[in-house]
Amino acid sequence: MTGKSGLALRRISGHCTITGDKLMAWYLLDPQGWSFRPDGVREQLIVDGADVFGQLVRREIHIRVTTRPYPVARWAADHDANAPSPLPAWRDHLITDQRRLASLSMADKEVYLGVEIPTRSPAYKALGSFWGSMSDREVAALSGHVRATDELMASPGIEAAPATPRQLEWLLHRSCSLGLPAPVTLGAAELEAWDVADLHEFTDHVRWFAVPYGRTIRVVGEHDDERIERHVCVLSVGRMTDLEIPPGIPWMQRTDQLPFPVEWSGRVRIEDAAKVGTALRQNIQKIRAQRDHYEVEHQEPAPGALDRQAARALTVEDEISMGLSGLSTRTSGWYRIAVSAPTEEEAIQRAGIVRKLFTPQITIARPHDQYAVAREFIPGERLSTTAYRRRMPVTTLAAAVPAATAKVGDRIGIHLGETSGTSSRVVTWEPWLATERGEESGLAVLCAGLGGGKSTAGGNIIYRTVIQGVPWTVLDPSGRLTALCRLPELEQYSRAIDLLDATPGALGTYRVIAEPRRDHYAEESDWRAAMDQAQDTRRLLTSSVLRAMLPRQLQEHVLTEVALLRAVGRVPANAWSSCDQVVSELASLEGDEALVRHAGYMADFLREAAKTSHGRLIFPAGKSLDPSGAEPLLTVYSLRGLALPDESTAGSEDLDERLSMCVMYLAAWLTQRGMYFGDINARKGIFIDEAWALSTFSTGRRFIDRAARDSRKHNTRVLMASQNPSDLLKLDLANLSSAAFIGRLTGEEAQRDALRFIPGIRDGLGYEQIFGTLSRPSRDGLRGPREFVFSDGNGGIERIRMDLSAHPHLLEALNTTAEPLKARNRAARELEDEKASA
């Protein structure tokens, strides 16, 4: 290699690398989402990329895919700064999460693209190494070509930006130290240009050792005066079958599924159509001559392979000659894959895994000169061998979509888990970005069948944000989430309330609607309007609940609505009124004899309903559940023991089931009051499980409208959980929600309904079956961490796996699976305690 640094590079200026005969402009490609994108969008992405490549005729491009370690330290700092009022346990919690993320060995993919800038005449290029690198004046004269290339690379399909000095420095470190751990820090100086003397920084602390015809090369480097050694195995892409376009997984993205980092280097030449056509015609003539040799000279039938080769060559020639756009352009390329490991055996084993990943569509081979092909990863180095050249149209090249990756979540939020689809990437999510920056609704959907992990997912989000100091109000009919209140780090900041044992009137229809506060509104007219709206909601809610209590014959009677509206209208719609007053008004209605008699029947029935255990929660006026007025950070309302009817038979003839539905519905309105406590701008959270019950009431839609509207104004994240997507669709949540977690669903209808919550995806494209593959049980019946299709509300949609392994005590608290062994152990302990006390 030329140059004192051992590299072919002579200079680096801005985002351009300069060798003795070539100038390459380097770009960083914008990550492209791939999963859950319609085929039409995928096809357009490939066509746009192919169109850009087609405009680079007679130029060389260098595709370079590398990785950057997940920025755990930066995430931890941003995550800590994002916590509004952390609890004392926050520091230990953050350190635990930071260690967990650091142990995952996950990295973000970065895709760089080097594009040759047309420079000198061929004769002058041949003397490039003799005359030295280009002069400053010559480089400056090419600035127009560089700007034109910059504009072309910013086009749709590529969407690349010129690499910054820091990014180019990172690429050179990763290439010269191929296989070594990524540098923790780069140089302190933000250089705009490097000369030959500066390039020693990339090479002086690393050595490459190769054995002739060895299976790997040995790369030895230093970091903090410690010697680090890795074995690198370089593979080359061989024969390829015709690939499906758009593919299920782009052929360069396949390696993102592997649990170890993989480097790619692609040296590609965009061919001149005239030269390609000439070469093809020569090949066709050779094939015809070979066929004549069999059929004419030897009177033998020619092998069928010759006919197939001729037909393929004619097809390609026709595409080139008749093509009306650059999509018919052909390319010649050499594609290398590098894997590394601490030992040679492990590196060879990883190479075998890569080979199996591409079988049978693509053949992966290991070139014999490992040192030479490894040098190709370094920008500026020459192609070492023309072996394994792959010829393909620009559409097949663009179908590699090297920048395709998992795009979901953000870089400051709580750790949810990792993507489990085509890429493995850490997923963090800030639930309040939608309301604080996007000015969108705070509604989010959490839907999964039995055992799909709804409670665990919801509890995980609640726990991680409560410990940040965010208040939550939770409605949990099963009572399982009350375990959060018993965790040592949350116990003194939490309160679990069993609503079925609450004081009479705790769920009064007038009391559960919060009274608007004057300090929440800038203008008094807005506050007055909110007061009027709250009163209207109380009247409608009271009418809806009382009607739902009645037998079906009374519910459907034409006079029922008239009687209720008159009675409710006579009762003041303030927070201190009660359903008892409405019943009294029903009993004292005057006017038409039929109406009076019907209202009397209704009053008699409702008086009896008020005497039941569930009725006493609704009818008296009631008082605050917390007379002191102090609100804990976490409030969990439990309805343990409440017998809800099946979703398909919500209109039950049984009074107890109808009252249970009313209790559940009013509890949801009570939970929503948590939105209005405290500072209007402060973050708040509400979780409502079994939200399907809302769809059984006429005012359920009003509930959702209010949640969508006020969650944005009051900076509240509202999680609605249900087993059946169709019930959430009845509430129009698909149009109002800003995020969604969809877990395992096995019914075909439920799978189709679930797609309504994934923006941009329509049914009939084959995505429905994905929900049935989530959290698939193993042979022993265990499902492990639950999986969800997560739509983050910002365009990111990916399959993710929830990860609570760093907090086993939280996982134990949220585990809703029955474990008989625990019961036996508990019984044994109780027996031992009895013996000890005796």
Side-chain angles (χ1 to χ4, degrees):
M1 295 295 175
T2 58
K4 295 181 180 180
S5 66
L7 300 176
L9 283 179
R10 298 300 182 83
R11 292 184 57 204
I12 300 174
S13 178
H15 66 294
C16 297
T17 58
I18 304 169
T19 61
D21 64 344
K22 191 174 296 182
L23 183 145
M24 299 279 287
W26 285 87
Y27 304 88
L28 180 65
L29 274 63
D30 189 47
Q32 297 286 350
W34 188 261
S35 300
F36 296 95
R37 300 187 78 176
D39 282 349
V41 176
R42 292 178 175 181
E43 289 176 1
Q44 190 61 49
L45 177 65
I46 293 172
V47 169
D48 289 342
D51 183 63
V52 173
F53 289 138
Q55 298 181 56
L56 299 174
V57 174
R58 295 186 293 276
R59 292 211 233 175
E60 179 185 327
I61 63 175
H62 187 180
I63 302 171
R64 187 66 179 83
V65 181
T66 186
T67 57
R68 188 184 291 266
Y70 187 82
V72 178
R74 191 192 317 159
W75 167 82
D78 294 341
H79 193 46
D80 180 57
N82 188 53
S85 183
L87 299 185
W90 168 250
R91 182 178 180 276
D92 292 338
H93 172 85
L94 184 60
I95 291 174
T96 300
D97 272 353
Q98 192 172 357
R99 287 174 177 167
R100 171 58 182 165
L101 295 186
S103 71
L104 293 176
S105 300
M106 290 191 174
D108 290 335
K109 181 169 66 173
E110 290 188 346
V111 182
Y112 294 87
L113 186 66
V115 181
E116 180 185 5
I117 304 299
T119 55
R120 310 168 178 172
S121 65
Y124 195 53
K125 281 189 175 184
L127 299 173
S129 59
F130 177 80
W131 290 103
S133 60
M134 303 175 189
S135 65
D136 290 334
R137 181 178 299 176
E138 189 171 2
V139 173
L142 295 171
S143 60
H145 292 287
V146 174
R147 284 195 301 270
T149 305
D150 291 349
E151 294 175 0
L152 180 61
M153 290 300 103
S155 303
I158 300 296
E159 299 178 33
T164 65
R166 277 280 185 246
Q167 291 165 347
L168 201 52
E169 183 180 4
W170 175 264
L171 176 62
L172 286 166
H173 270 296
R174 296 294 283 157
S175 302
C176 295
S177 302
L178 190 65
L180 293 180
V184 178
T185 57
L186 299 179
E190 183 80 18
L191 296 177
E192 286 291 338
W194 287 268
D195 291 320
V196 173
D198 300 314
L199 299 179
H200 291 272
E201 176 186 342
F202 304 111
T203 58
D204 278 0
H205 298 287
V206 62
R207 293 290 183 271
W208 290 20
F209 301 94
V211 176
Y213 300 100
R215 298 187 298 173
T216 64
I217 64 169
R218 189 161 53 95
V219 182
V220 180
E222 296 180 8
H223 180 68
D224 292 339
D225 297 326
E226 292 187 8
R227 186 175 183 272
I228 304 173
E229 179 178 305
R230 292 290 186 271
H231 288 263
V232 179
C233 182
V234 181
L235 306 170
S236 189
V237 173
R239 295 184 307 276
M240 302 172 64
T241 61
D242 290 336
L243 300 178
E244 178 187 359
I245 298 177
I249 302 176
W251 56 273
M252 268 195 179
Q253 196 198 6
R254 292 189 189 185
T255 53
D256 292 357
Q257 306 172 57
L258 300 176
F260 48 84
V262 174
E263 304 267 334
W264 279 84
S265 174
R267 300 295 186 96
V268 184
R269 184 76 181 177
I270 310 300
E271 301 286 4
D272 185 347
K275 291 183 178 180
V276 175
T278 301
L280 284 172
R281 283 188 290 274
Q282 291 175 350
N283 285 336
I284 292 172
Q285 291 172 1
K286 289 179 181 179
I287 294 170
R288 288 173 178 170
Q290 292 175 0
R291 188 170 57 186
D292 290 343
H293 177 73
Y294 280 95
E295 296 177 351
V296 177
E297 296 179 18
H298 295 281
Q299 302 297 317
E300 294 286 341
L306 291 177
D307 291 331
R308 289 193 295 270
Q309 291 174 14
R312 179 59 181 162
L314 287 170
T315 301
V316 173
E317 184 186 30
D318 182 65
E319 289 176 355
I320 294 174
S321 60
M322 300 300 294
L324 300 178
S325 69
L327 300 183
S328 60
T329 305
R330 312 294 293 185
T331 69
S332 293
W334 295 262
Y335 305 93
R336 320 292 191 196
I337 306 172
V339 294
S340 61
T343 65
E344 184 178 52
E345 290 73 18
E346 188 176 355
I348 295 299
Q349 182 183 14
R350 290 182 174 183
I353 295 173
V354 172
R355 189 177 290 111
K356 291 179 181 178
L357 185 67
F358 286 92
T359 302
Q361 293 90 353
I362 301 175
T363 302
I364 302 296
R366 179 167 51 85
H368 70 276
D369 192 347
Q370 288 284 291
Y371 183 89
V373 292
R375 296 284 300 197
E376 294 179 13
F377 284 77
I378 302 174
E381 298 298 309
R382 294 179 181 273
L383 186 70
S384 65
T385 175
T386 58
Y388 303 106
R389 177 168 59 183
R390 301 271 63 82
R391 294 184 175 92
M392 62 182 71
V394 286
T395 50
T396 303
L397 173 62
V401 198
T405 187
K407 293 178 61 177
V408 71
D410 49 62
R411 289 305 179 91
I412 62 174
I414 59 176
H415 175 222
L416 294 179
E418 296 79 45
T419 57
S420 57
T422 57
S423 303
S424 185
R425 182 177 181 269
V426 170
V427 179
T428 57
W429 181 53
E430 173 50 61
W432 287 272
L433 282 183
T435 54
E436 293 177 349
R437 299 184 187 177
E439 296 186 357
E440 297 178 355
S441 160
L443 276 173
V445 169
L446 211 169
C447 187
L450 286 172
K454 297 190 306 298
S455 298
T456 301
N460 183 35
I461 295 171
I462 293 167
Y463 172 82
R464 292 178 182 274
T465 50
V466 166
I467 208 167
Q468 290 181 334
V470 178
W472 276 85
T473 308
V474 178
L475 174 59
D476 178 30
S478 65
R480 295 296 183 96
L481 293 181
T482 57
L484 291 174
C485 301
R486 296 191 292 271
L487 293 175
E489 60 270 37
L490 301 184
E491 189 172 11
Q492 69 180 100
Y493 307 98
S494 306
R495 180 180 60 181
I497 299 175
D498 186 351
L499 286 175
L500 298 186
D501 288 334
T503 58
L507 295 178
T509 57
Y510 291 89
R511 200 194 71 79
V512 296
I513 304 300
E515 191 77 7
R517 289 173 43 174
R518 177 63 185 86
D519 57 338
H520 286 175
Y521 299 88
E523 302 293 336
E524 183 169 356
S525 59
D526 295 336
W527 174 59
R528 295 288 183 186
M531 293 279 287
D532 293 339
Q533 186 180 39
Q535 292 179 1
D536 290 342
T537 303
R538 290 188 184 110
R539 295 187 185 98
L540 289 173
L541 179 62
T542 302
S543 299
S544 180
V545 169
L546 292 180
R547 184 171 184 170
M549 293 181 188
L550 299 171
R552 181 172 299 177
Q553 294 84 352
L554 287 178
Q555 288 184 29
E556 297 175 353
H557 199 283
V558 66
L559 295 178
T560 298
E561 186 170 359
V562 177
L564 278 176
L565 288 178
R566 286 189 184 181
V568 170
R570 295 181 179 182
V571 176
N574 54 48
W576 301 276
S577 298
S578 73
C579 290
D580 280 342
Q581 295 173 262
V582 178
V583 174
S584 299
E585 293 294 338
L586 280 173
S588 61
L589 279 182
E590 299 177 352
D592 182 75
E593 182 179 352
L595 177 63
V596 171
R597 185 167 56 251
H598 186 80
Y601 294 151
M602 293 169 58
D604 291 341
F605 184 89
L606 293 174
R607 285 195 185 102
E608 294 302 316
K611 298 176 183 178
T612 64
S613 58
H614 295 341
R616 68 179 183 82
L617 298 172
I618 301 174
F619 278 88
K623 297 181 180 180
S624 171
L625 293 174
D626 188 359
S628 66
E631 289 296 327
L633 204 58
L634 173 62
T635 302
V636 180
Y637 292 122
S638 168
L639 291 170
R640 188 179 314 195
L642 186 68
L644 290 174
D646 185 79
E647 298 164 57
S648 61
T649 59
S652 174
E653 292 294 338
D654 183 76
L655 173 61
D656 184 63
E657 290 187 351
R658 294 200 304 274
L659 287 172
S660 296
M661 291 296 298
C662 294
V663 167
M664 173 65 195
Y665 182 56
L666 291 171
W669 279 99
L670 176 65
T671 304
Q672 197 187 52
R673 287 170 58 92
M675 186 185 303
Y676 304 97
F677 294 130
D679 186 350
I680 188 174
N681 297 306
R683 296 173 181 172
K684 295 168 283 292
I686 294 173
F687 178 81
I688 297 178
D689 201 0
E690 302 293 353
W692 64 270
L694 301 178
S695 65
T696 63
F697 286 81
S698 59
T699 48
R701 182 70 172 81
R702 178 176 287 266
F703 179 96
I704 297 302
D705 282 339
R706 180 164 177 158
R709 181 181 63 254
D710 289 353
S711 62
R712 182 182 63 82
K713 292 191 299 186
H714 292 264
N715 200 15
T716 305
R717 172 56 74 180
V718 181
L719 286 176
M720 297 277 188
S722 187
Q723 292 182 16
N724 196 336
S726 63
D727 292 311
L728 299 179
L729 290 177
K730 296 175 185 176
L731 296 168
D732 205 21
L733 282 182
N735 296 322
L736 296 174
S737 60
S738 61
F741 295 83
I742 310 296
R744 181 177 176 83
L745 297 168
T746 54
E748 293 183 3
E749 185 177 354
Q751 292 171 354
R752 286 194 299 270
D753 291 339
L755 285 180
R756 295 278 302 278
F757 297 101
I758 309 299
I761 301 296
R762 58 183 177 86
D763 58 3
L765 298 178
Y767 290 108
E768 295 88 345
Q769 290 76 17
I770 292 177
F771 300 115
T773 65
L774 299 174
S775 308
R776 182 175 291 169
S778 60
R779 288 185 176 181
D780 55 7
L782 300 178
R783 291 187 185 173
R786 299 302 191 260
E787 291 181 305
F788 294 86
V789 173
F790 173 41
S791 172
D792 62 7
N794 196 32
I797 305 169
E798 291 292 341
R799 176 173 177 160
I800 71 169
R801 181 186 300 110
M802 286 286 177
D803 183 8
L804 282 73
S805 57
H807 305 279
H809 70 298
L810 174 62
L811 182 60
E812 175 68 18
L814 295 176
N815 185 11
T816 61
T817 303
E819 298 185 35
L821 182 60
K822 291 182 180 180
R824 289 196 295 270
N825 292 341
R826 188 179 299 110
R829 288 195 301 270
E830 292 175 356
L831 182 59
E832 291 177 0
D833 292 341
E834 290 178 2
K835 291 181 179 179
S837 61

